[in-house]
């Protein structure tokens, strides 16, 4: 059974940093592009970042470029999102999601984690 | 590409047919259009990809159609578990984008 479990969310002040993790199981993790997708309260989802199976290709949304870094550890079946210079508008539930698309950054998502809430507030 | 979903909310009874629309600001390449269902407190669930292909385990009462800039999700007969928010997503042009959602609520 495919499982994705996020951790690391919480309350952080504007300008602060946070590291999200996603533990994957039930599939060959290194064979899939993985993504972070966020959803602000009452809004539709927003793609944040993608990383290919062996980290050869990485893409970021313009809204987070320069402030976040996606990475993965295939030996530990784990995906990460390091977020810096956080803003109030980064407040959202952050999901890790498995990608079935043909190209990195142009995929659809067949499995999602339960999400990690990130709240940026003073 | 901006995706505009309509209506914003749909009030229907179990057993009725639901028709949800997703309109793109530009043509979506090669029918790279997906639909998701989301219930309160849960992650989105993939229903349809490639505009009309059902994901694994999705009942055949869900169907997708359309091309270019106009896409439709149809639920032929609403079951109690189908009342939720539905999102479309295009993944043919970078960055992939989602619509703002259509809420299907019980009448």
């Amino acid at each position: 059974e495919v499982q994705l479990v996020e951790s690391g969310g919480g309350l952080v002040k504007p300008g602060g940093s946070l590291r999200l993790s996603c533990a994957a199981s039930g599939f060959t993790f290194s064979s899939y592009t993985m993504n972070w997708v966020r959803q602000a309260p009452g809004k539709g989802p927003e793609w944040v970042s993608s990383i290919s199976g062996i980290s050869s290709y990485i893409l970021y949304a313009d809204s987070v470029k320069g402030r976040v870094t996606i990475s993965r550890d295939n030996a530990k079946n784990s995906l990460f999102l390091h977020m810096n210079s956080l803003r109030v508008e980064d407040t959202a539930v952050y999901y890790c999601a498995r990608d079935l698309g043909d190209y990195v950054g142009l995929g659809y998502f067949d499995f999602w984690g339960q999400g990690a809430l990130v709240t940026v507030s003073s | 590409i901006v995706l505009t979903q309509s209506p914003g909310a749909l009030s229907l009874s179990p057993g009725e047919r639901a028709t949800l629309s997703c309109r793109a600001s530009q043509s979506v390449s090669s029918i790279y259009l997906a639909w998701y269902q989301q219930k309160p407190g849960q992650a989105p669930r993939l229903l349809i990809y490639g505009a009309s292909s059902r994901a694994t385990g999705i009942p055949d009462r869900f169907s997708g159609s359309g091309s270019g800039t106009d896409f439709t999700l149809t639920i032929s007969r609403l079951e109690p578990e189908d009342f939720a928010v539905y999102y479309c997503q295009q993944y043919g042009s970078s960055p992939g984008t989602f619509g703002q959602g259509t809420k299907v609520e019980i009448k």
Side-chain angles (χ1 to χ4, degrees):
Chain A
E1 178 195 5
V2 172
Q3 284 199 321
L4 299 168
V5 179
E6 299 92 341
S7 60
L11 174 64
V12 61
K13 288 181 167 51
S17 300
L18 210 58
R19 182 210 201 208
L20 301 180
S21 300
C22 173
S25 60
F27 65 103
T28 304
F29 182 66
S30 60
S31 295
Y32 289 85
T33 292
M34 296 296 295
N35 300 265
W36 289 98
V37 180
R38 70 184 181 182
Q39 188 171 27
K43 303 290 187 183
E46 177 193 15
W47 170 78
V48 173
S49 183
S50 300
I51 184 168
S52 62
I54 55 172
S55 306
S56 302
Y57 298 98
I58 289 174
L59 288 175
Y60 298 103
D62 286 346
S63 58
V64 302
K65 198 174 294 182
R67 300 188 298 117
V68 308
T69 303
I70 191 172
S71 61
R72 64 192 295 162
D73 183 340
N74 287 342
K76 295 182 178 179
N77 291 342
S78 295
L79 177 72
F80 305 101
L81 188 70
H82 296 255
M83 300 187 290
N84 301 310
S85 303
L86 282 162
R87 304 168 181 168
V88 170
E89 55 265 34
D90 294 320
T91 295
V93 175
Y94 284 72
Y95 297 99
C96 66
R98 192 176 82 166
D99 193 311
L100 288 185
D102 295 330
Y103 303 99
V104 176
L106 289 175
Y108 62 99
F109 313 122
D110 67 335
F111 284 98
W112 301 57
Q114 86 289 351
L117 176 61
V118 173
T119 303
V120 184
S121 175
S122 54
Chain B
I1 295 179
V2 176
L3 299 179
T4 302
Q5 293 186 240
S6 61
L10 203 50
S11 292
L12 294 167
S13 301
E16 290 193 294
R17 180 185 189 90
T19 303
L20 286 65
S21 173
C22 176
R23 177 161 289 178
S25 59
Q26 304 170 45
S27 183
V28 176
S29 302
S30 304
I31 320 181
Y32 287 156
L33 195 287
W35 289 93
Y36 299 85
Q37 176 194 69
Q38 188 176 33
K39 296 179 181 179
Q42 296 184 16
R45 172 194 180 200
L46 177 67
L47 299 174
I48 301 286
Y49 63 94
S52 60
S53 298
R54 272 187 301 277
T56 302
I58 301 303
D60 60 8
R61 65 180 181 272
F62 291 92
S63 62
S65 63
S67 64
T69 60
D70 289 298
F71 298 87
T72 301
L73 174 70
T74 302
I75 311 170
S76 59
R77 293 173 311 279
L78 282 164
E79 296 288 341
E81 62 268 27
D82 298 337
F83 292 92
V85 180
Y86 292 84
Y87 295 99
C88 57
Q89 178 216 5
Q90 69 80 22
Y91 52 98
S93 296
S94 184
T97 49
F98 291 83
Q100 84 283 10
T102 291
K103 183 176 184 179
V104 179
E105 51 193 20
I106 300 176
K107 188 173 181 180

